[in-house]
Structures are given as structure tokens and as C-alpha cells.
Amino acid sequence: MSGFAAILIALLIIAPGIAGAAPKIGCTASGYENVTACQAKNILEEEDVFLLDVRTPAEYSYSHIEGATLIPLKNVPAHDPVNLPDDQLLPNRMKELPKDKNTKIVVYCYTGKRGGIASQMIADAGYKRVYNIQGNIQGQGGLIEWVNAGYPVVIDSAKWSANYPHYV
């Protein structure tokens, strides 16, 4: 019986440490959390949330989530032929993010990849509550997942159908 008690005590001591070391689902060790469109929508229904679109100006003009602030992460010639100068891109516009580093920031792009890069950059700048609309098991995230979930967007229907015919 004493061997059993020793094992039980060891499990009671070790198990909580192991459980506490496991990351939360959707979290990264990098300081931001990947979320689904549904989770992002719930976060956006709260007060004092900063919604950041990191796509190009052309992509933003096709469609965007209402209330989003556009600060492009980088130039993407495949999506926008206009080459923005470096001072108009996120790495040089971080001062436009909320001053309070505890403000919730929801980041999105077209598929979730640029959003992940931007989210890491924002977390590295000391922001504590950064959420990237990463996506689903098919690898779709960002605005694609938002639209596929049926959530509203501000849209220029002519530009959208010309550029994204498979999502019309």
C-alpha cells in the first residue's frame, strides 16, 4: 500500500505541472493566438477591440470587415500592382496601433498567412492580446474564412466578382 501511496503522491505533484505546460488550443508560443472566424466575431462584439486589415489597398477596396483599419504588412504585386513605400507598411506604422498594449487586436489578411506574420510582429512589440484569423483545417483563414462563415463584409461587388470569382 505504501508503494501505491508514493505513486499517487507523485502523480498529484507531477500531473498539474504537465497539464499546465500544455499550450491552449489555438495559441502559439509566440505571443498571439490563432482564432477562427467565429471566435474573431465574438471578440469583435466586445468593446475596445482594434481590427487590423494587413492586406494591400486594392484588396481592402474589394472587400473588408466593417470597422477595420488598413495598415498593409507588405507589398503583394499579385494582389496589388501599386508598390507602396516602406513608410506606408506595418513595420514603419506600428505607432498607429493602440497605445494601450492590453487592447485586444484582431488581425486578418486574405488567407491568414500575412496575418500571422503581422500578429507576431505586434506581439513582439509588447501587445498582450493579439488574435489572428488563422483558419480552418483546409488551410483557409483570414477574410476567406470570414466570408465562408457567412459574416458580413463591406464589398465592392464588381471588383470582388472580377478578382475572386470562385467566392461569388
Side-chain angles (χ1 to χ4, degrees):
M1 192 59 106
S2 64
F4 176 75
I7 292 172
L8 182 59
I9 290 172
L11 285 175
L12 290 173
I13 293 171
I14 295 170
I18 293 171
K24 294 179 186 175
I25 293 174
C27 289
T28 65
S30 54
Y32 69 92
E33 183 175 347
N34 287 317
V35 295
T36 65
C38 179
Q39 291 168 317
K41 185 175 184 306
N42 290 337
I43 293 167
L44 290 169
E45 290 173 353
E46 299 171 15
E47 291 185 18
D48 299 323
V49 178
F50 186 82
L51 177 60
L52 178 62
D53 186 325
V54 296
R55 298 173 304 146
T56 67
E59 290 174 292
Y60 184 87
S61 73
Y62 302 143
S63 66
H64 58 272
I65 300 172
E66 186 173 1
T69 297
L70 173 66
I71 305 178
L73 173 66
K74 62 181 182 175
N75 289 302
V76 184
H79 295 291
D80 191 340
V82 176
N83 192 28
L84 297 172
D86 287 346
D87 68 345
Q88 292 184 25
L89 302 175
L90 181 62
N92 294 305
R93 294 178 62 188
M94 297 290 285
K95 64 186 174 295
E96 296 177 40
L97 298 177
K99 301 283 185 242
D100 181 356
K101 302 241 176 165
N102 285 311
T103 300
K104 290 183 181 180
I105 300 176
V106 175
V107 181
Y108 75 95
C109 63
Y110 183 59
T111 64
K113 292 177 185 169
R114 281 176 279 168
I117 294 166
S119 294
Q120 181 64 61
M121 186 181 301
I122 294 166
D124 287 348
Y127 288 87
K128 311 275 188 266
R129 301 162 81 186
V130 183
Y131 306 91
N132 174 43
I133 303 177
Q134 173 58 42
N136 56 35
I137 58 174
Q138 288 84 26
Q140 295 178 335
L143 193 63
I144 291 174
E145 186 185 350
W146 185 268
V147 170
N148 285 343
Y151 299 135
V153 291
V154 176
I155 188 168
D156 180 320
S157 58
K159 287 181 181 178
W160 180 272
S161 61
N163 289 282
Y164 306 111
H166 49 289
Y167 291 105
V168 176

